[in-house]
Amino acid sequence: MSKQFTKAEVAQHKDESGMYIIVDDGVYDVAGFLDDHPGGSKILKRVAGKDATKQFWKYHGKSVLEKYGGKLKVGTLKEEPKL
């Protein structure tokens, strides 16, 4: 079973020791991918600790998530009650 994160927990991981982003319901640590990202590290740093789903799908297809997701995924987003 993979680790579950709240949005608040993801928000705490926004530096190079652990840079988490959310895509759909997955949580990914992109800290080790900064130098390899074709769009540059600045873009990943801008969305670090946040839900990057909209930005991700705007520029990437499903094949990108299939290629890199397994290596970068650290868990899933915990469902939180909507108040």
Side-chain angles (χ1 to χ4, degrees):
M1 185 171 169
S2 68
K3 183 164 172 45
Q4 289 195 316
F5 297 90
T6 63
K7 285 187 176 184
E9 290 170 325
V10 172
Q12 294 173 1
H13 294 86
K14 52 187 172 192
D15 59 37
E16 293 183 23
S17 65
M19 191 173 291
Y20 292 6
I21 64 168
I22 300 166
V23 176
D24 295 329
D25 67 343
V27 178
Y28 301 87
D29 185 352
V30 296
F33 189 65
L34 294 175
D35 294 333
D36 298 326
H37 187 254
S41 63
K42 190 189 301 188
I43 293 167
L44 293 176
K45 289 176 181 177
R46 195 177 307 139
V47 294
K50 301 176 185 170
D51 188 335
T53 302
K54 189 175 178 180
Q55 295 92 326
F56 181 87
W57 291 119
K58 183 176 180 181
Y59 297 104
H60 306 88
K62 183 179 175 185
S63 63
V64 173
L65 196 58
E66 289 171 350
K67 182 176 181 180
Y68 297 104
K71 293 183 271 188
L72 302 175
K73 191 170 186 176
V74 292
T76 57
L77 191 63
K78 186 184 290 186
E79 279 194 41
E80 297 179 40
K82 294 178 183 173
L83 302 174

